């Protein structure tokens, strides 16, 4: 069931979907970009959008989230979960790398005890993917089993074929949504051929590479090589940018606030790059910067694959683009001193 | 990730949400040392009071509402019902707040989390317990369990040390184990005072002097990281293989269920895959991160 | 200048005058540079000096043990001097390789000028007081003042005053003071209520990555107040009120140490105009105490030093 839609009709399409869903689209806030609630009009993102600075994970795992409220009454406490808005959501234009990141996050948030906050939002959301036609020079998704047109992790996939988008339903959720959407044309064989060509062109535009062959073993073999890690992490400033903006980083902190008798327990993004993350009163197992960066690299390329059989990096390149000192993980992975 | 079966524990979730604590009430407070207190507690909810179960070695997340949450092992033994216990050393924000509480105070509790001591593996073995300071808390949850099922196990050796005589925790336990003829206990302090007539010396050194046999034995170790670091080589010298050494670890934790990220040792999470580990499981990563 | 730098740096390492060299090498991404911190003289040939050497390398001095040869633009040299004043760095442990700096190109301004992203540009070249941005083979010329970082436009010390080796001829300030303060001027025109709303909105975006603090040479505390828990001064979560509080206190802590290098604003991944706060504080310090950070290594540091005659003014 492949359809197509004129680019100039995207506003109408979103309006139609807006009847059933809260729509989220790429938007600018000053110079920062993220997925925010659609204002019902503006589709100018189609002109400027390459990817958002804040990854779409923020829609499911926000930087700050209320876990529950509590009220103090004479030494007793009443706990109350936040009301769920129950609103169905649709994210329009998620990139393949970020959709894959959500599939990676699903694994940890479903593992053993389910994480109710993340999963409830996830179940309630339709992902409409938009293939990349203009990847950044920092993108390296093709090295990680994905590509700029990868439709594996979205419900509906759009491919730019000039004046139109080819629209494929990938999941049952996507199929039923497209079946209930009016104003779509059937795609012709020529459209599909154009899409295929566009996808091949995009694929070739991703030129950055990492070699992931035997990466777990390579990392394990140099885990204790302090000199190496110290050298390659010397310029890191231990800020949280690369982890906070990473679409697969999920570490969080939990904190309370109590004002008068009303309290909130918050969950917020945390980062293995910050010393306080592992700090205990007497000791800090990752006091040194090289230990923390090593943890970040190993978690993505060694530990997560050991646990879930997938590298926790999608090659979106945010950590490279946004780093204040231009630290580049692909350089690190290429320079590992492999001991045989 | 190692598969863990938590289905039997899901019934303890408050409103089906793993992060939502239950309310527990502090029933008794014991001053162990100037900085350590044991809290006896029980669930406010009658049903949970009856149904809650746990195993020796497991921990729970306790919260002082408005201050925050922290993990503590359940230091009582599941073989002794009536109430639950946890011991707290005053070191930071949450522990200070806990120490300010009195009997009757309500706190939050969610759990039990983590794995437990492998009782099947320990059966019919000689057990060597090695603990430092408040590290005795998780071990006493096992020691009492073992003593209450005494015929299932062989020799019991306990080597327990603290910085000073005033820092020895659970003296009432030490007294009863001293009186128990089926238990060999050695207590030591780093530095004694005028009234101290017992041993002086760090736990690893005393372990080397006591030199328990490794034959058909398992060593169970808990203490500050520095003690654990120095104890492993001594055990190795005494002939204990990495599989014969079991430890229960402490790391900074928040979620308690393997998600928030910070307590990992390699690919394992102390809260999810531990806190009880064999030395064999963690020796690849532990040297430079613990 | 670049060749001279490489020669000097190599000599410093070879003659064992320093343990480390801190400079810049080309970044992997186009038109970027990245700090090079090395003990190895084979790395020295990678050192560059160009219009993109944005980082304030003084930031690394407090964590390196040993003697360091450091590449320093005017503002960086002031940060080094400020660290010397605060006893964080010993003068004899640093060899300052001074770079007269005609201003650093702000890539986000360049992107706005031509409406394209950095990686879509063919070339960015500085030609005197012009910047030439080549896109799709076409040259686009702009005045350099349109492409430099705001703080460079108001730079008070383009050529380091404190140095061991000066790598080029002294250069004069760009002196586009008004242009360097556009954002601040806009804020000053607002009513207090509007300004409050502005900052509330800006700080709602903050994700507490602490890049602003961690790139800042003046933020040298081993333990930052924001991470203290007993007492807890600010919640360690990105609530806008606490984000704002963090930034206000950080500002007070760097008062008299901030050299207006602009790193905090440049590093911010969500583009909060942090320099509007730090520069305002810089000017307040300058007016109130006639003190400019990092101008004189022998001057006592502002905030840890008290003069009898200050009393009347300070306690008003």
């Amino acid at each position: 069931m492949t359809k197509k839609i004129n680019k100039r009709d995207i506003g109408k399409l979103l309006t139609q979907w807006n009847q059933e869903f809260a729509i989220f689209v790429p938007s600018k806030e000053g110079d920062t970009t993220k997925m925010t609630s659609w204002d019902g009009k503006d589709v100018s993102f189609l002109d400027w959008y390459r990817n958002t600075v804040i990854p779409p994970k923020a829609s499911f795992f926000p930087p700050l989230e209320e876990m529950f409220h509590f009220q103090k009454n004479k030494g007793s406490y009443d706990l109350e979960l936040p009301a769920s808005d129950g609103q169905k959501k649709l994210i329009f234009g998620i990139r393949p790398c970020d959709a894959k990141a959500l599939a990676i996050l699903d694994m940890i948030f479903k593992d053993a005890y389910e994480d109710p906050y993340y999963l409830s939002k996830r179940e309630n959301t339709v992902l409409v993917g938009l293939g990349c036609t203009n990847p950044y020079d920092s993108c390296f998704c093709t090295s990680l089993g994905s590509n700029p047109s990868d439709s594996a992790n979205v419900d509906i996939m759009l491919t730019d074929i000039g004046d139109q988008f080819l629209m494929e339903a990938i999941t049952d959720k996507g199929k039923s949504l497209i079946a209930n959407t009016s104003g779509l044309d059937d795609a012709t064989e020529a459209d599909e051929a154009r899409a295929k060509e566009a996808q091949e062109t995009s694929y070739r535009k991703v030129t950055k590479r990492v070699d992931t062959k035997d990466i777990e073993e390579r990392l394990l073999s140099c885990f204790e090589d302090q000199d190496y890690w110290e050298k390659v992490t010397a310029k890191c400033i231990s800020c949280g940018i690369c982890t906070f903006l990473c679409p697969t980083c999920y570490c969080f902190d939990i904190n309370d606030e109590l004002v008068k008798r009303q309290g909130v327990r918050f969950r917020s993004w945390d980062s293995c790059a910050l010393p306080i993350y592992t700090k205990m009163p007497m000791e800090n197992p990752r006091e040194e910067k090289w230990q923390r960066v090593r943890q970040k690299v190993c978690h993505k390329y060694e530990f997560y694959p050991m646990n879930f059989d997938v590298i926790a990096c999608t090659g979106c390149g945010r950590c490279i683009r946004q780093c204040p000192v231009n630290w580049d993980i692909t350089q690190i992975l290429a320079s590992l001193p492999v001991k045989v | 990730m190692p598969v863990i079966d938590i289905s039997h524990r899901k019934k303890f979730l408050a409103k089906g949400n793993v992060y939502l604590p239950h309310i527990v009430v502090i029933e008794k407070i014991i001053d162990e040392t100037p900085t350590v207190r044991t809290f006896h507690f029980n669930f406010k909810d009658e049903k949970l009071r009856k149904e809650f179960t746990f195993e020796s070695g497991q921990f729970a997340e306790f919260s002082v509402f408005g201050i925050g949450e922290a993990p503590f092992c359940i230091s009582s033994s599941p073989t002794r019902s009536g109430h639950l216990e946890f011991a707290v050393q005053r070191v930071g924000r949450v522990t200070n707040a806990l120490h300010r509480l009195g009997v009757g105070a309500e706190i939050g509790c969610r759990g039990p989390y983590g794995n437990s001591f492998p009782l099947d593996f320990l059966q019919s073995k000689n057990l060597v317990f090695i603990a430092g300071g408040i590290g005795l808390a998780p071990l006493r949850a096992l020691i009492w369990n073992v003593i209450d099922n005494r015929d299932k196990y062989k020799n019991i050796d306990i080597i327990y040390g603290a910085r000073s005589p005033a820092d020895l925790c659970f003296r009432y336990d030490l007294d009863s184990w001293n009186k128990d003829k089926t238990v060999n206990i050695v207590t030591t302090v780093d530095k004694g005072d005028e009234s101290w007539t017992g041993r002086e010396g760090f736990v690893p050194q005393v372990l080397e002097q006591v030199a328990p046999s490794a034959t058909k034995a398992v060593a169970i170790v808990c203490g500050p990281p520095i003690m654990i670091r120095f104890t492993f080589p001594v055990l190795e010298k005494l002939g204990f293989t990495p599989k014969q050494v079991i430890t229960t670890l402490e790391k900074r934790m928040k979620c308690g269920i393997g998600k928030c990220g910070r307590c990992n040792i390699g690919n394992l999470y102390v809260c999810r895959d531990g806190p009880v580990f064999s030395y064999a499981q963690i020796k690849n990563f532990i040297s430079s991160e613990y | 200048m670049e060749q001279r730098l490489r020669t000097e740096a190599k000599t410093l390492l070879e003659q064992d005058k320093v343990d480390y060299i801190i400079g810049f090498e080309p970044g992997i991404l186009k038109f970027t540079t990245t700090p090079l911190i090395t003990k190895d003289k084979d790395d020295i040939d990678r050192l560059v000096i160009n219009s993109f050497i944005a980082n304030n390398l003084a930031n690394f001095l407090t964590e390196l043990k040993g003697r360091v040869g450091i590449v320093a633009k005017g503002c960086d040299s002031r940060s080094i001097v400020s660290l010397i004043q605060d006893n964080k760095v010993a003068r004899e442990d640093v060899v300052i390789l001074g770079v007269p700096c005609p201003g650093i190109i702000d890539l986000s301004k360049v992107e706005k000028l031509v409406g394209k992203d950095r990686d879509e540009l063919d070339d960015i070249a500085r030609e005197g007081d012009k910047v030439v941005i080549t896109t799709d083979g076409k040259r686009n010329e702009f005045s350099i003042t349109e492409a430099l970082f705001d703080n460079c436009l108001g730079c008070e010390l383009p050529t380091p005053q404190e140095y061991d080796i000066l790598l080029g001829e002294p250069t004069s300030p760009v002196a586009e003071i008004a242009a360097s303060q556009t954002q601040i001027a806009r804020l000053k025109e607002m009513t207090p209520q509007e300004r409050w709303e502005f900052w509330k909105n800006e700080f709602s975006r903050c994700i507490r990555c602490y890049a602003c603090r961690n790139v800042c040479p003046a933020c040298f505390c081993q333990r930052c107040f924001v991470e203290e828990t007993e007492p807890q001064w600010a919640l360690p979560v990105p609530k806008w009120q606490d984000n704002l509080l963090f930034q206000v206190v950080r500002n007070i802590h760097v008062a008299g140490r901030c050299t207006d290098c602009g790193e905090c604003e440049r590093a911010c991944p969500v583009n909060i105009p942090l320099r509007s706060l730090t520069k305002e504080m810089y000017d307040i310090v300058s007016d109130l105490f006639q003190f400019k950070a990092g101008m004189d290594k022998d001057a006592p540091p502002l905030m840890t030093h008290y003069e009898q005659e200050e009393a009347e003014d300070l306690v008003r």
Side-chain angles (χ1 to χ4, degrees):
Chain A
M1 188 171 58
T2 306
K3 300 280 182 182
K4 63 178 172 180
I5 183 166
N6 278 318
K7 285 183 178 171
R8 60 168 190 276
D9 292 334
I10 288 295
K12 280 188 213 155
L13 175 74
L14 293 180
T15 306
Q16 198 185 136
W17 283 346
N18 216 169
Q19 313 272 309
E20 189 183 350
F21 300 94
I23 309 272
F24 289 78
V25 299
S27 346
K28 284 185 184 177
E29 259 187 41
D31 287 342
T32 307
T33 50
K34 61 178 171 188
M35 294 287 178
T36 53
S37 188
W38 187 49
D39 64 358
K41 305 189 284 284
D42 187 10
V43 291
S44 62
F45 62 87
L46 290 173
D47 302 323
W48 58 259
Y49 171 55
R50 297 176 76 192
N51 206 350
T52 52
V53 171
I54 307 285
K57 75 169 177 188
S59 300
F60 305 92
F61 172 55
L64 178 65
E65 180 166 33
E66 294 183 357
M67 304 179 87
F68 59 86
H69 299 255
F70 50 92
Q71 190 163 12
K72 192 175 179 181
N73 296 312
K74 296 180 187 147
S76 281
Y77 293 89
D78 291 322
L79 276 48
E80 199 185 331
L81 290 168
S84 154
D85 61 2
Q87 171 72 57
K88 288 203 273 182
K89 297 182 179 71
L90 183 147
I91 296 189
F92 185 86
I94 189 168
R95 296 300 186 189
C97 52
D98 292 336
K100 184 183 176 190
L102 293 176
I104 291 169
L105 291 180
D106 290 348
M107 297 173 188
I108 185 74
F109 283 125
K110 277 184 186 159
D111 169 69
Y113 288 104
E114 286 103 9
D115 188 283
Y117 306 101
Y118 173 88
L119 292 173
S120 64
K121 296 185 192 71
R122 189 80 165 93
E123 280 151 18
N124 240 346
T125 305
V126 173
L127 298 180
V128 179
L130 180 56
C132 302
T133 51
N134 187 15
Y136 291 101
D137 59 352
S138 41
C139 293
F140 55 105
C141 58
T142 53
S143 296
L144 290 148
S146 184
N147 65 72
S149 320
D150 188 0
S151 63
N153 305 292
V154 296
D155 297 299
I156 293 171
M157 187 70 194
L158 303 183
T159 305
D160 190 327
I161 51 169
D163 293 335
Q164 293 150 325
F165 288 117
L166 190 85
M167 191 187 253
E168 289 169 276
I170 308 297
T171 61
D172 290 344
K173 235 188 208 176
K175 280 176 191 148
S176 84
L177 179 56
I178 288 193
N180 291 314
T181 302
S182 61
L184 303 177
D185 296 325
D186 288 332
T188 63
E189 269 180 35
D191 295 328
E192 300 206 28
R194 269 195 293 167
K196 192 156 181 286
E197 199 186 314
Q199 288 165 358
E200 281 164 8
T201 308
S202 307
Y203 193 99
R204 284 194 299 273
K205 284 187 184 168
V206 178
T207 52
K208 202 171 178 64
R209 298 264 180 276
V210 290
D211 178 10
T212 57
K213 192 170 176 292
D214 304 327
I215 189 72
E216 286 176 48
E217 292 76 11
R218 277 153 59 202
L219 280 165
L220 180 63
S221 85
C222 64
F223 189 80
E224 298 290 350
D225 193 339
Q226 182 172 343
D227 289 345
Y228 168 75
W229 289 108
E230 279 187 343
K231 186 162 168 86
V232 298
T233 61
K235 66 185 173 191
C236 171
I237 57 160
S238 293
C239 75
I241 291 181
C242 55
T243 48
F244 285 172
L245 300 186
C246 172
T248 70
C249 272
Y250 55 82
C251 288
F252 60 84
D253 197 2
I254 298 176
N255 284 285
D256 282 14
E257 184 181 51
L258 179 64
V259 178
K260 297 195 177 146
R261 303 188 160 269
Q262 305 290 329
V264 187
R265 181 159 294 171
F266 291 109
R267 149 152 107 182
S268 55
W269 288 353
D270 207 345
S271 168
C272 61
L274 307 170
I276 195 164
Y277 175 72
T278 48
K279 191 182 180 303
M280 293 187 288
M282 309 296 184
E283 297 228 353
N284 188 350
R286 295 199 281 263
E287 178 77 45
E288 302 295 331
K289 175 164 88 175
W290 63 271
Q291 294 172 314
R292 297 192 295 272
V293 180
R294 178 181 69 178
Q295 160 67 18
K296 187 191 100 158
V297 175
C298 289
H299 182 239
K300 297 200 164 304
Y301 281 85
E302 180 183 358
F303 306 151
Y304 209 80
M306 284 169 83
N307 288 340
F308 296 110
D309 224 14
V310 62
I311 291 175
C313 169
T314 64
C316 77
R318 283 186 182 86
C319 57
I320 304 171
R321 282 195 294 285
Q322 304 296 336
C323 178
V325 296
N326 295 311
W327 197 81
D328 184 336
I329 192 167
T330 64
Q331 263 187 311
I332 304 312
L333 293 169
S335 69
L336 293 174
V338 181
K339 294 190 191 75
V340 190
Chain B
M1 233 165 183
V3 176
I4 57 164
D5 179 18
I6 45 104
S7 52
H8 61 289
R9 284 193 237 153
K10 285 194 180 171
K11 64 174 183 257
F12 300 135
L13 299 188
K15 297 181 187 170
N17 183 317
V18 67
Y19 299 105
L20 194 69
H22 290 288
I23 304 290
V24 298
V25 182
I26 294 173
E27 295 180 336
K28 186 179 171 186
I29 298 170
I30 299 169
D31 280 329
E32 301 285 354
T33 76
T35 58
V36 177
R37 271 181 188 171
T38 291
F39 295 90
H40 292 205
F41 69 99
N42 219 324
F43 291 90
K44 201 174 173 187
D45 179 77
E46 283 292 341
K47 198 161 160 273
L48 264 170
R49 215 179 256 250
K50 289 199 196 84
E51 289 179 2
F52 183 84
T53 56
F54 72 102
E55 291 153 43
S56 296
Q58 288 194 296
F59 70 95
E61 288 278 351
F62 294 88
S63 43
V64 181
F65 294 106
I67 300 291
E69 203 172 32
F72 300 96
C73 72
I74 302 174
S75 60
S76 47
S77 166
T79 51
R80 307 199 162 194
S81 55
H83 68 269
L84 298 150
E85 296 176 25
F86 70 110
V88 179
Q89 183 161 26
R90 193 156 48 81
V91 285
R93 184 170 163 79
V94 175
T95 53
N96 277 331
L98 281 165
H99 272 241
R100 287 195 292 267
L101 297 177
V103 170
E106 288 188 8
I107 56 176
C109 171
R110 54 188 182 94
Y113 296 135
N115 65 357
S116 53
F117 290 106
L119 295 178
D120 291 345
F121 176 72
L122 301 180
Q123 255 193 51
S124 316
K125 303 249 169 65
N126 298 318
L127 305 180
V128 183
F129 294 94
I130 303 159
I134 196 175
L136 187 56
L139 297 199
R140 92 187 261 276
L142 175 62
I143 295 172
W144 281 118
N145 194 330
V146 165
I147 290 175
D148 290 343
N149 295 283
R150 189 65 191 87
D151 51 341
K152 287 188 184 170
Y153 307 90
K154 295 277 165 55
N155 296 344
I156 299 177
D157 285 292
I158 300 171
I159 298 168
Y160 177 53
R163 256 189 321 214
S164 74
D167 289 310
L168 290 165
C169 300
F170 310 109
R171 288 151 188 271
Y172 40 94
D173 287 344
L174 303 178
D175 287 346
S176 39
W177 297 334
N178 262 318
K179 285 178 199 141
D180 187 333
K181 296 235 159 44
T182 73
V183 174
N184 304 313
I185 176 166
V186 175
T187 312
T188 176
V189 295
D190 297 353
K191 188 91 192 73
D193 55 20
E194 305 84 57
S195 59
W196 181 253
T197 53
R199 265 178 202 265
E200 280 191 357
F202 298 116
V203 168
Q205 297 163 353
V206 173
L207 170 67
E208 201 163 359
Q209 292 156 15
V210 175
S213 159
T215 314
K216 287 195 177 149
V218 179
I220 303 117
V221 188
C222 185
I226 181 113
M227 185 206 98
I228 294 186
R229 254 195 309 266
F230 284 97
T231 299
F232 285 149
V234 175
L235 286 168
E236 213 171 338
K237 217 194 273 180
L238 294 172
F240 285 80
T241 64
K243 279 188 180 163
Q244 280 175 285
V245 179
I246 287 172
T247 180
T248 168
L249 299 180
E250 189 190 6
K251 286 246 183 185
R252 186 174 168 94
M253 286 181 195
K254 286 283 181 169
C255 74
I257 54 173
K259 303 202 193 299
C260 80
R262 51 178 58 59
C263 70
N264 73 304
I265 292 178
N267 71 313
L268 299 176
Y269 288 83
V270 171
C271 67
R272 181 200 183 278
D273 307 300
V276 178
F277 293 99
S278 75
Y279 182 47
Q281 275 177 291
I282 52 173
K283 68 176 194 309
N284 268 347
F285 297 104
I286 203 159
S287 54
S288 66
E289 283 207 353
Y290 198 76
Chain C
M1 196 152 50
E2 209 164 80
Q3 204 43 56
R4 167 102 195 272
L5 165 63
R6 292 176 189 173
T7 313
E8 298 283 2
K10 211 171 271 180
T11 311
L12 286 172
L13 281 176
E14 274 166 0
Q15 298 182 350
D16 195 28
K17 295 224 170 89
V18 298
D19 301 300
Y20 291 92
I21 290 288
I22 312 181
F24 295 92
E25 64 176 314
I28 291 282
L29 303 180
K30 266 201 266 185
F31 315 120
T32 67
T33 62
T34 183
L36 173 65
I37 301 170
T38 188
K39 286 176 146 179
D40 186 349
K41 66 180 190 326
D42 293 340
D43 290 341
I44 294 303
D45 285 336
R46 305 210 303 268
L47 286 172
V48 292
I49 296 172
N50 57 34
S51 299
F52 307 104
I53 51 169
N55 298 90
N56 185 339
L57 301 178
N59 190 38
F60 296 103
L61 283 179
T62 40
E63 67 179 66
L64 285 180
K65 289 180 192 77
R67 299 155 305 158
V68 179
I70 183 169
V71 174
K73 312 183 288 289
C75 51
D76 311 344
S77 78
R78 291 180 61 186
S79 293
I80 298 170
V81 168
S82 183
L83 288 169
I84 294 168
Q85 287 176 277
D86 269 316
N87 254 334
K88 287 282 146 189
V89 169
R91 180 65 186 92
E92 60 271 24
D93 286 344
V94 280
V95 176
I96 301 172
L97 298 153
V99 176
C101 171
I104 300 299
I105 292 178
D106 179 346
L107 289 171
S108 69
K109 283 190 183 174
V110 167
E111 289 176 339
K112 283 201 192 99
L113 284 173
V114 292
K116 282 186 178 294
D117 287 343
R118 173 197 52 76
D119 62 334
E120 299 171 308
L121 309 177
D122 300 332
D123 193 30
I124 307 171
R126 178 158 186 178
E127 294 178 6
D129 57 359
K130 293 254 179 301
V131 61
V132 182
I133 307 166
T134 313
T135 56
D136 304 320
K138 196 171 130 268
R139 277 168 59 96
N140 304 277
E141 274 188 25
F142 300 93
S143 160
I144 190 66
T145 55
E146 290 182 82
L148 296 181
F149 280 103
D150 281 355
N151 62 304
C152 298
L153 297 174
C155 178
E156 292 175 54
L157 192 77
T159 306
Q161 189 168 279
E162 182 74 29
Y163 59 81
D164 297 282
I165 299 161
L166 192 63
L167 296 166
E169 292 305 311
T171 180
S172 47
V174 185
E176 292 280 342
I177 307 301
S180 81
Q181 313 228 33
T182 338
Q183 175 69 24
I184 299 169
R186 210 175 292 150
L187 280 163
K188 284 187 170 168
E189 278 168 16
M190 291 180 185
T191 63
Q193 186 56 36
E194 285 167 341
R195 203 151 50 222
W196 181 247
E197 287 302 318
F198 173 85
W199 285 116
K200 176 179 169 179
N201 186 40
E202 293 296 315
F203 281 108
S204 301
R205 271 204 316 276
C206 170
I207 51 174
R208 286 288 191 101
C209 68
Y210 297 120
C212 50
R213 177 191 71 186
N214 293 13
V215 285
C216 178
C219 266
F220 51 66
C221 291
Q222 293 277 316
R223 292 171 68 183
C224 179
F225 82 97
V226 81
E227 282 157 1
E228 290 295 328
T229 56
E230 292 279 62
Q232 190 170 56
W233 302 100
L235 274 185
V237 306
K239 281 186 74 176
W240 73 266
Q241 298 92 330
D242 299 85
N243 302 340
L244 175 69
L245 176 73
F246 161 61
Q247 209 54 244
V248 166
V249 177
R250 195 184 85 82
N251 239 281
I252 293 167
H253 286 183
V254 301
R257 299 189 169 100
C258 170
T259 61
D260 193 25
C261 74
E263 277 289 87
C264 47
E265 182 165 316
R266 190 187 64 81
C268 181
V270 293
N271 303 83
I272 300 170
L274 296 171
R275 180 177 168 263
S276 301
L277 296 173
T278 53
K279 173 65 165 121
E280 182 63 10
M281 181 61 91
Y282 178 97
D283 288 342
I284 290 170
V285 165
S286 171
D287 290 349
L288 220 60
F289 303 101
Q290 290 75 51
F291 186 93
K292 287 182 191 291
M295 287 298 199
D296 176 3
K297 69 176 191 302
D298 300 315
L302 178 74
M303 285 301 163
T304 53
H305 181 77
Y306 168 74
E307 300 274 356
Q308 185 71 41
E309 55 272 25
E310 283 174 2
E312 292 303 310
D313 250 18
L314 194 65
V315 188
R316 270 192 288 223

